[in-house]
Amino acid sequence: MNELAAKSGAGTAAKDALFLVFRIGTERYALQAVEVVEVLPRLQLKPIPQAPSWVAGVFAHRGTVVPVLDLSALTFGEPAQERTSTRLVLVHYRPQAEQPARLLGLILEQATDTLRCNPQDFKAYGLDNRSAPYLGPVYEDAQGLLQWVRVDDLLDAEVRALLFPSPPLDPALLGESS
């Protein structure tokens, strides 16, 4: 391979991004890998009373309490199947650019593959799905369509306030009576 071809190939590869591929039922979805902090096995979670059914609970991770969503329950109303390939994926959640990223856990089925492709190869699917704004464009490959899940659009304002209160609750004030 000559130097010019190597450089032009490197330029093309630089446009590609890595995606974590997972399934919800039989359908394929992807998260951009730069949003992923860590992929863990499914862990025991503490449930949050009165939270939406797709809020699976919370767990402690390196000194931080992390809320966890079941993406299958959020998307289709059915909890993720408990398989050996079901993972708890920690992601950076940042609903507004000026805010620091927070850790958010996602329960994802069959989160064991990756895909490298140009993000511009994902195309709009012709539906304004306002009830699921986190479901982004689709990518077509030999296995069919793969849909991009946008992490920062997962939570509406009400659930974001429940999971990430602002300002954070002060434990010292919880013991005080009014």
Side-chain angles (χ1 to χ4, degrees):
M1 179 183 283
N2 69 32
E3 188 176 332
L4 180 59
K7 285 183 180 177
S8 68
T12 303
K15 293 179 185 174
D16 285 353
L18 186 64
F19 290 84
L20 174 65
V21 178
F22 62 96
R23 291 188 180 268
I24 300 176
T26 60
E27 299 300 315
R28 294 183 315 138
Y29 295 86
L31 297 172
Q32 198 163 12
V34 295
E35 296 177 314
V36 175
V37 175
E38 191 171 351
V39 178
L40 303 168
R42 190 156 181 179
L43 303 172
Q44 186 68 34
L45 303 173
K46 177 164 181 46
I48 302 174
Q50 304 300 313
S53 61
W54 42 268
V55 176
V58 297
F59 78 107
H61 181 71
R62 298 182 184 149
T64 301
V65 176
V66 179
V68 178
L69 310 182
D70 183 328
L71 206 56
S72 179
L74 172 64
T75 306
F76 290 111
E78 295 290 325
Q81 293 185 14
E82 293 193 26
R83 305 174 174 188
T84 56
S85 62
T86 300
R87 303 284 189 253
L88 195 160
V89 177
L90 293 179
V91 295
H92 294 287
Y93 174 70
R94 181 178 302 166
Q96 297 171 338
E98 68 276 358
Q99 294 181 338
R102 308 285 295 266
L103 283 181
L104 178 66
L106 303 176
I107 296 175
L108 304 177
E109 294 179 33
Q110 298 180 28
T112 56
D113 288 328
T114 58
L115 167 73
R116 186 171 294 281
C117 68
N118 188 327
Q120 293 180 346
D121 291 341
F122 282 80
K123 305 297 179 204
Y125 58 97
L127 177 67
D128 183 7
N129 195 353
R130 292 175 194 220
S131 61
Y134 56 91
L135 294 177
V138 296
Y139 173 82
E140 184 176 13
D141 64 11
Q143 297 177 49
L145 294 178
L146 173 82
Q147 191 160 26
W148 188 338
V149 173
R150 296 183 304 236
V151 170
D152 292 341
D153 294 329
L154 280 169
L155 305 176
D156 64 24
E158 184 178 334
V159 176
R160 188 169 45 251
L162 173 71
L163 299 179
F164 300 112
S166 181
L169 297 175
D170 183 349
L173 296 178
L174 295 177
E176 295 179 3
S177 57
S178 307

